[in-house]
Amino acid sequence: MGNRHRTPYGPGTPAPCLTVRPLEGGRGVRAAGEIALATRTIWERALEQAVREGEAVYYLELSEVTFVDVAGAGALAAAAGRLGDGRRFVVHRPPPALRRVLDVFWPDLSTIEVSVS
């Protein structure tokens, strides 16, 4: 008898994926997919790279992100907390749930600017 492995995804349901690539013509990244348990490492690596790059403004284009769990929002807030004086993330067109989570748990975090246009 073979080993059985259980995943949080049902049979025939693909695991979430996340792609992160550099923004064309700007300083930052474009993400597409879901930010959840299965993709958290990719998200956290992208955020750590943003912190290390030292840009005053770092753009996160999230218009193609369909879902961000609370831990993914927390990773964003934690990275923003490590940016240092005068630096910030500009989060462009995030999923509505991410805006709500940031407003509820980190309402005064001045190092994250959300742009919906």
Side-chain angles (χ1 to χ4, degrees):
M1 230 180 189
N3 292 333
R4 290 182 149 200
H5 300 283
R6 298 186 73 190
T7 67
Y9 317 105
T13 304
C17 68
L18 177 68
T19 58
V20 177
R21 60 189 187 276
L23 272 178
E24 293 181 24
R27 200 77 205 130
V29 295
R30 175 182 306 276
E34 295 183 15
I35 299 170
L37 180 61
T39 61
R40 187 150 317 116
T41 301
I42 297 165
W43 178 238
E44 289 173 347
R45 285 182 187 153
L47 294 171
E48 281 305 310
Q49 179 64 33
V51 170
R52 282 193 305 270
E53 284 190 20
E55 296 292 324
V57 178
Y58 196 88
Y59 296 91
L60 300 169
E61 168 57 60
L62 303 184
S63 61
E64 296 177 37
V65 172
T66 58
F67 175 77
V68 179
D69 67 8
V70 174
L76 174 60
R82 293 189 302 277
L83 286 176
D85 290 338
R87 296 181 62 206
R88 72 182 192 278
F89 286 132
V90 175
V91 181
H92 184 68
R93 297 179 56 202
L98 177 59
R99 289 195 323 260
R100 288 191 297 272
V101 169
L102 290 172
D103 287 343
V104 169
F105 292 105
W106 298 279
D108 298 323
L109 191 57
S110 63
T111 52
I112 298 176
E113 176 185 327
V114 177
S115 170
V116 292
S117 59

